[in-house]
Each structure stands twice: as structure tokens, then as C-alpha cells.
Amino acid sequence: GQNIDQPTEMTATEGAIVQINCTYQTSGFNGLFWYQQHAGEAPTFLSYNVLDGLEEKGRFSSFLSRSKGYSYLLLKELQMKDSASYLCAVLDSNYQLIWGAGTKLIIKP
Amino acid sequence: DAGITQSPRHKVTETGTPVTLRCHQTENHRYMYWYRQDPGHGLRLIHYSYGVKDTDKGEVSDGYSVSRSKTEDFLLTLESATSSQTSVYFCAVQAGTADTGELFFGEGSRLTVL
């Protein structure tokens, strides 16, 4: 079967750095997405990786290793507004998105 | 903002009643999706559409039907609601091509089936 694993919950301190990991086992691979979802709101797109390596976008970076079935989202200079759930999703060989259950990130002052 | 609105935003209904959720978009996107989101689960695809009157099933389609008679509207119907269908339902549209386009989501519809 297809599977996306991410930690259920993480806690970090304002101003610090946090890395959220995502491992996947899917039938084929056509890209990996990260979305942010604040409580009670809709998911919003953060990043897309299809090739190995690091993609940087401001305070957020996303890394992909296709050979290891692994990605991480790196958040720097954490702010209170970064408290949210972070969803990892993989586009499989049929171009269907497979979603992880999400990682709830709690930021403490 | 992809101009997506969902209605109703909240609904409480009783087991066995029919329910229709509406998704409306203003930007002529071809691909539209209905997902449900439950604690401990990732977003799960119910049905999707790739054009007017062109729809297909997702992984959790049992108990749901959809219709798309106009580009801008994608309706999700629960013919006879059950308590297991209590969930938050999200509509999404795809920007760009089918293989790389990101999804834009509506605000969600919270459905409670008593």
C-alpha cells in the first residue's frame, strides 16, 4: 500500500529552527508537496520538490531525497504565527496526491 | 486566492437525510476535487472532476456522488448521511497542469451527522 509518515506533533521555541520530516512509500513518484494548515482553516501551498536537493523560499526550505523516500521542511526564525499543521503529500504514478496525516507544530515563546 | 467558495460552511443533519455541499469557483479551473479531513488521517479524496460532466472516484467514494454541470460548480451529495460521514469537507481546484499544479482549497464545510 501507499504510505506517508510524519510526526504527529512537534514543539519548538520562537526564534529557533525546526525540521519536520516526511517519509513516503508510494507507487511511483511525480513530486512532493508541503502545505500549511492553521487550525480551522484550509491548507495553503508551501513548496513543491520533484528533483533531489534543497529548495529555499524565505524562512522555509524543503529538501528531497528520492532514493531514500524522504523529505523535510525546515522552518527558520520561528514566529508564533508558524503554529500550524504541516501536511506532506506525494504525487504518485497516476498523478494522484497521497497525503500524510500532518504534523502539528506548537511554537512556544 | 483562487476564488473558491463552499456552502454551507456548517451543517448539522440527522442520519438518513440527504445533504448537498456546493463548491463554486470563479477562475475557470478545469480540475476540481472533494476531500474529507478527519483527525489522524490525511486528506482523503472522495471524487474529482476534470471537466464539465467528467468526474471520477477517489479512494473514499462510497456513499457519495458528485455532479459538475457547469465549469464553476462542483456539487457533492450524500444520498443518505451516516454518522461516519461527520467530517470537514474541502473542495479544491488545481492551478496549472495536472502533474505540477498546486491545489487551492475552499474554506471547508463542517458536517455533523447525528
Side-chain angles (χ1 to χ4, degrees):
Chain A
Q2 308 205 85
N3 196 50
I4 309 265
D5 285 319
Q6 23 178 162
T8 302
E9 187 174 298
M10 299 181 69
T11 301
T13 304
E14 189 177 16
I17 299 172
V18 72
Q19 177 176 310
I20 302 174
N21 296 326
C22 171
T23 58
Y24 62 89
Q25 294 169 312
T26 56
S27 55
F29 179 85
N30 282 299
L32 185 144
F33 294 81
W34 284 96
Y35 282 77
Q36 180 189 59
Q37 185 177 25
H38 286 102
E41 298 183 7
T44 56
F45 171 80
L46 285 178
S47 68
Y48 170 71
N49 294 68
V50 67
L51 299 177
D52 290 350
L54 189 68
E55 295 275 346
E56 297 186 75
K57 194 185 289 187
R59 293 189 299 114
F60 292 8
S61 302
S62 55
F63 171 84
L64 174 67
S65 168
R66 288 172 297 170
S67 62
K68 295 182 179 178
Y70 168 70
S71 172
Y72 67 73
L73 181 68
L74 192 71
L75 291 72
K76 302 176 185 176
E77 302 170 13
L78 286 169
Q79 302 175 9
M80 297 304 292
K81 67 179 182 179
D82 297 329
S83 291
S85 289
Y86 292 86
L87 314 180
C88 174
V90 171
L91 205 56
D92 71 8
S93 57
N94 294 319
Y95 292 99
Q96 295 294 325
L97 266 178
I98 312 300
W99 294 83
T103 298
K104 182 178 180 180
L105 178 63
I106 300 168
I107 309 297
K108 295 187 174 179
Chain B
D1 182 4
I4 307 165
T5 55
Q6 292 184 227
S7 59
R9 295 289 313 280
H10 300 272
K11 185 172 183 66
V12 180
T13 191
E14 293 189 348
T15 299
T17 59
V19 175
T20 295
L21 306 180
R22 179 183 184 235
C23 178
H24 178 79
Q25 59 138 332
T26 59
E27 298 191 5
N28 229 29
H29 293 292
R30 179 183 173 193
Y31 290 88
M32 299 184 75
Y33 304 82
W34 275 108
Y35 285 94
R36 60 178 290 174
Q37 188 175 40
D38 305 288
H41 293 271
L43 285 161
R44 290 183 288 176
L45 182 64
I46 304 171
H47 283 278
Y48 65 99
S49 170
Y50 43 93
V52 173
K53 296 186 178 168
D54 289 325
T55 64
D56 208 345
K57 296 179 180 180
E59 64 174 302
V60 291
S61 59
D62 287 349
Y64 302 94
S65 62
V66 290
S67 67
R68 192 167 179 201
S69 58
K70 299 185 289 185
T71 299
E72 58 266 35
D73 288 325
F74 191 32
L75 303 181
L76 176 71
T77 297
L78 292 66
E79 300 290 347
S80 177
T82 67
S83 58
S84 64
Q85 293 176 311
T86 292
S87 186
V88 179
Y89 291 86
F90 285 102
C91 172
V93 301
Q94 185 155 12
T97 61
D99 54 346
T100 60
E102 66 190 78
L103 295 182
F104 291 92
F105 288 84
E107 318 97 311
S109 295
R110 183 175 293 275
L111 176 67
T112 302
V113 183
L114 302 176

